Amino acid sequence: MKIQKIFHYAYLVFAVLFLYDAITKWSDNRNGAYMSLVFVALATFMFFFRKRFSKKFEDRNKQ
């Protein structure tokens, strides 16, 4: 279960990396920047989704 928690935060790391990529591409390649922003949103969503899902899974195992 500890490794799972590390992967939760890996999603946030990827979100930050894609955000940096979007900022650097913004003036040169707008379409590439939009794609990076989509990945930022997806990684952030996956972080919260996986965190919530694993919490439900842990609560179900405790009962």
Side-chain angles (χ1 to χ4, degrees):
M1 286 297 178
K2 242 182 181 182
I3 288 179
Q4 235 179 6
K5 289 184 181 187
I6 292 171
F7 281 115
H8 291 284
Y9 293 103
Y11 285 118
L12 287 181
V13 170
F14 281 116
V16 169
L17 290 174
F18 281 120
L19 183 62
Y20 174 75
D21 186 48
I23 291 170
T24 57
K25 286 182 181 178
W26 189 258
S27 62
D28 296 333
N29 184 8
R30 232 3 106 97
N31 289 334
Y34 288 138
M35 192 57 132
S36 292
L37 289 174
V38 167
F39 285 130
V40 168
L42 182 64
T44 306
F45 169 76
M46 285 300 295
F47 169 75
F48 288 111
F49 177 77
R50 297 281 303 222
K51 191 171 181 179
R52 184 173 178 228
F53 183 76
S54 66
K55 184 173 170 57
K56 280 185 176 182
F57 187 72
E58 286 177 15
D59 289 344
R60 187 175 62 169
N61 284 340
K62 289 180 183 178
Q63 291 179 355

